Amino acid sequence: MKLYDPNRLLLIAGPCSLETEDVTFSVADKLAELAAAHPELNVVFKGSFDKANRTSLGSERGPGMEEGLARLRQVKEKTGLPVTTDFHLPEQAAPVGEVCDVLQVPAFLCRQTDLLVAAAQTGRVVNVKKGQFLSPAEMRFVVDKLEGAKAAEIWQTERGSTFGYQNLVVDMRSFSIMKGYGHPTVFDATHSVQLPGAGGGKTTGQREFVPALARAALGAGADGLFFETHPDPSKAISDGPNQIPLEQFAALVESCLRVWSAVRIQA
């Protein structure tokens, strides 16, 4: 049975890092409320157990795999939502797949063959983020690897492309191009507004552009959206400048649903 449903807007959302139980369940409960209020949403909770590509050696990375997977299991049991997390080593795929419905392959690692094969072998959905260094046309070869490894279901996520120093740009043609490979496309709206390394040894970003880009991506044919949201982004251990304040999140999603519905009517 496929997790992706073309008749519902795929929404992958959660805090960047799982951080504390309070942060995790504040966000998870809000997502469960959204899912109950909007049956046209297909909601997946996301939280990272390890932020392994932090800019600085001393930056906080999260609770670690054992504690993180235990908490993700609790989210599933409490909310009934499917869950996802990113992983960074092939040997992590099997234990992550025992808990998570979707394995997320980070953008920096999207061409790592062993990682892709290990994810596919779990039998779970594989959501692979397009590397900032790849054109949408080059994602064909990433998809080929996952198909060759017999992945049960493949999602492709656009998260912006490197454009000069410390900036990312989203090519809205990406969704049409990548959809041509036969698998759903998702837009990562919060990572796409990052300014990598522009914050004096850390990543900063431009949260104010998230709503416009998310709605534009749906207009361009994206099948789903990815957001990071936090009760207090100023206190987040990672990606705070890009995350949506939790109190604003429902209104943003509802505005995106209106665009998604309008696009479907026109189609």
Side-chain angles (χ1 to χ4, degrees):
M1 180 178 175
K2 296 287 188 181
L3 183 55
Y4 172 68
D5 180 351
N7 296 310
R8 300 163 72 201
L9 175 61
L10 179 60
L11 175 65
I12 306 170
C16 182
S17 169
L18 288 168
E19 293 192 23
T20 65
E21 288 191 14
D22 284 346
V23 168
T24 299
F25 289 103
S26 293
V27 176
D29 289 345
K30 176 61 70 174
L31 292 177
E33 290 174 11
L34 270 172
H38 298 283
E40 66 273 35
L41 283 176
N42 184 7
V43 182
V44 179
F45 176 88
K46 178 267 173 185
S48 296
F49 62 78
D50 180 19
K51 303 304 295 181
N53 62 347
R54 301 304 306 277
T55 303
S56 302
L57 181 62
S59 297
E60 292 187 69
R61 291 177 51 163
M65 187 168 70
E66 183 176 353
E67 181 180 343
L69 290 179
R71 196 173 308 156
L72 287 167
R73 191 186 296 275
Q74 291 175 328
V75 169
K76 287 182 67 170
E77 292 171 351
K78 181 180 180 183
T79 66
L81 297 175
V83 299
T84 185
T85 192
D86 41 356
F87 72 109
H88 307 90
L89 299 169
E91 56 266 30
Q92 293 176 332
V96 170
E98 290 177 6
V99 175
C100 293
D101 305 271
V102 182
L103 276 72
Q104 180 176 293
V105 177
F108 283 133
L109 301 176
C110 70
R111 292 184 59 179
Q112 296 297 104
T113 301
D114 291 346
L115 204 68
L116 295 169
V117 170
Q121 290 176 340
T122 66
R124 297 292 198 172
V125 180
V126 181
N127 178 29
V128 59
K129 288 194 171 185
K130 180 180 76 63
Q132 302 93 319
F133 46 88
L134 292 184
S135 68
E138 291 171 280
M139 278 295 286
R140 167 75 269 177
F141 306 107
V142 176
V143 169
D144 283 348
K145 291 180 182 181
L146 288 169
E147 290 177 342
K150 303 295 190 292
E153 186 172 349
I154 301 166
W155 300 348
Q156 309 165 81
T157 295
E158 167 65 271
R159 48 99 8 106
S161 298
T162 300
F163 189 80
Y165 295 116
Q166 301 175 330
N167 196 17
L168 299 171
V169 171
V170 180
D171 182 350
M172 290 294 165
R173 297 173 298 179
S174 295
F175 305 105
S176 294
I177 294 168
M178 293 196 296
K179 194 178 290 191
Y181 309 144
H183 303 282
T185 60
V186 179
F187 176 52
D188 182 344
T190 45
H191 284 102
S192 291
V193 299
Q194 284 182 335
L195 300 175
K202 60 182 180 181
T203 293
T204 185
Q206 297 172 306
R207 181 190 298 123
E208 64 271 23
F209 295 122
V210 168
L213 285 174
R215 293 190 285 259
L218 291 174
D223 301 298
L225 295 171
F226 179 113
F227 295 105
E228 289 182 331
T229 182
H230 192 284
D232 186 353
S234 67
K235 296 181 179 177
I237 70 170
S238 59
D239 277 352
N242 314 305
Q243 297 198 61
I244 303 300
L246 187 59
E247 64 182 11
Q248 301 173 16
F249 189 65
L252 172 58
V253 171
E254 288 164 358
S255 75
C256 290
L257 270 172
R258 290 192 291 272
V259 174
W260 176 77
S261 297
V263 170
R264 286 168 57 82
I265 291 171
Q266 292 300 317

